[in-house]
Amino acid sequence: MSAPAPRSFLRDNSLSLVIGALLLLVLAGQAWWGVAHYNEEARTAGLQEIDLWRYVTSSGFAVDVAENWQSEFLQFTLYIALTVWLVQRGSSESKAPGDEGRESDEQQLVGEHAQPDSPAWARAGGWRTSLYSHSLVTVMAVVFVASWVAQAVAGRVADNEERMRDQLDPLGLGAYLVSPDFWGRTLQNWQSELLAIGTMAVFAIYLRERGSPESKEVGAPHDVTSSSD
């Protein structure tokens, strides 16, 4: 039997590193094309053009980024929470029917059932284990709320800049939170995220991607939900 390959930081973290690099690349592209679009509209309206740095520190760029981030973290928050209790038979994105719920301490390897290398708070018991047991959805929800607040604040500034150019009175934060601009930005992103997670759950019943942990085995029957089904 051949010896296991030596551990490598780049190999062991290749997924997060590549996704992080792609994120930075896409953000740079968004900024580049965003300032080009802004300056094109500025020239048409006879307004002053701006440079890239001023654009990426503007409320317009901030609200565009924040509205995308909040919808993405809403997607993860909902999916993590809903898949505790709801199932989709045949989907690799779901637990098997009958496995709904939080599961036992033994199944979750917490408290007296924890392993020697389990996280410290999984072994601690009490409030620490309880808090750690919900840490993933909690952090996702906090980031969602924080980015939604950032969207509201930056969106109000950006919207008021347009209103001032149109010689309209600026809106306070409360008025902006019930404005068409705020809810138009919010709901168009929410519907796309709900569509994405819904179709992923259903597509994973019938479609495969060989070698991906997000897919069942290529030869697995359509009605098999998980290895425990």
Side-chain angles (χ1 to χ4, degrees), residues 73-142:
F73 281 97
L74 173 67
Q75 173 190 147
F76 287 120
T77 301
L78 286 177
Y79 209 64
I80 294 166
L82 292 177
T83 51
V84 174
W85 302 102
L86 305 179
V87 297
Q88 178 62 56
R89 179 177 290 277
S91 177
S92 59
E93 298 294 306
S94 169
K95 294 190 290 188
D99 289 345
E100 299 91 339
R102 301 266 181 216
E103 302 178 343
S104 67
D105 287 354
E106 183 177 5
Q107 290 173 300
Q108 288 291 313
L109 304 176
V110 298
E112 64 181 15
H113 304 287
Q115 299 176 339
D117 57 352
S118 294
W121 280 31
R123 291 184 274 108
W127 68 269
R128 287 176 293 180
T129 296
S130 179
L131 179 62
Y132 189 66
S133 297
H134 305 287
S135 56
L136 180 59
V137 75
T138 300
V139 169
M140 291 291 182
V142 167

Side-chain angles (χ1 to χ4, degrees), residues 146-190:
S147 54
W148 200 19
V149 169
Q151 177 196 332
V153 173
R156 170 180 169 262
V157 175
D159 188 58
N160 281 338
E161 288 176 353
E162 293 187 5
R163 292 177 64 86
M164 290 173 66
R165 285 197 294 267
D166 295 334
Q167 297 183 335
L168 298 173
D169 292 333
L171 296 176
L173 183 59
Y176 179 71
L177 291 178
V178 296
S179 70
D181 182 78
F182 176 71
W183 284 105
R185 287 177 176 274
T186 295
L187 294 176
Q188 72 174 353
N189 281 280
W190 286 7

